[in-house]
Amino acid sequence: MILSLLAGASLGAFGAVANLDAYVGKHPHEKAGPTTFLANPVVNAAIAKAVPDADIRSFIADRDMTTVPIRRVDDRLLASGWDQRSGGDVNWAVLMSLDGTKTAVCYSTGVEPDVRGADWYVDGTKVFTLYTRCPSRIEDLKGLGTFPIGAIPG
């Protein structure tokens, strides 16, 4: 998959800064200019840097997932999707700065309080787990502050 191809690439390989605003209002697999959000080299490298698991990256890249339009939340973008075959239990979110330099990836295979939940990854490490679905709406981000631009919540 595309997201795994650039796992070893750095953001600097694609230029210093990207402006990803063009994707706001589009689905992650919908083109803005020549490429989709998930196929954009800056986004692709940022996701690969955030989450080391190739299976999670492949799940995010899967075109069969149900997605919602990308939202802008202050200085961040929120992209999300879920597997409708699971009733939405298996879901993902990408939360990143507008230039792609700060990225967090959420992945969940379902929520069982204190057993499993939505795991958040930054810079190749799982940094925390929340026992809710990955965010898909702006109001889902209230408890996260300015993460991942700002501090890790909690």
Side-chain angles (χ1 to χ4, degrees):
M1 290 255 111
I2 293 170
L3 292 175
S4 59
L5 293 176
L6 296 172
S10 70
L11 293 177
F14 304 106
V17 178
N19 183 346
L20 303 172
D21 260 342
Y23 295 104
V24 173
K26 298 193 179 305
H27 287 264
H29 293 291
E30 186 179 351
K31 284 186 175 182
T35 186
T36 69
F37 179 76
L38 293 175
N40 180 296
V42 170
V43 173
N44 198 310
I47 291 171
K49 180 182 176 198
V51 64
D53 188 317
D55 289 338
I56 293 174
R57 294 192 311 268
S58 292
F59 181 78
I60 292 169
D62 187 343
R63 291 181 159 278
D64 290 334
M65 294 299 114
T66 301
T67 61
V68 295
I70 296 166
R71 294 170 167 86
R72 181 177 177 162
V73 184
D74 302 318
D75 293 331
R76 300 169 293 166
L77 297 178
L78 172 64
S80 63
W82 60 92
D83 184 350
Q84 63 186 2
R85 297 167 292 196
S86 73
D89 285 345
V90 181
N91 56 88
W92 61 269
V94 174
L95 187 59
M96 69 174 22
S97 60
L98 295 177
D99 62 5
T101 58
K102 303 273 187 176
T103 303
V105 173
C106 179
Y107 177 71
S108 177
T109 58
V111 176
E112 282 181 68
D114 299 319
V115 176
R116 65 184 175 138
D119 296 327
W120 282 90
Y121 297 85
V122 174
D123 292 331
T125 303
K126 182 168 73 170
V127 292
F128 62 90
T129 300
L130 294 177
Y131 297 102
T132 62
R133 290 175 39 93
C134 293
S136 62
R137 303 170 305 160
I138 292 172
E139 47 273 13
D140 296 340
L141 299 175
K142 287 184 181 171
L144 296 178
T146 59
F147 175 75
I149 296 170
I152 294 171

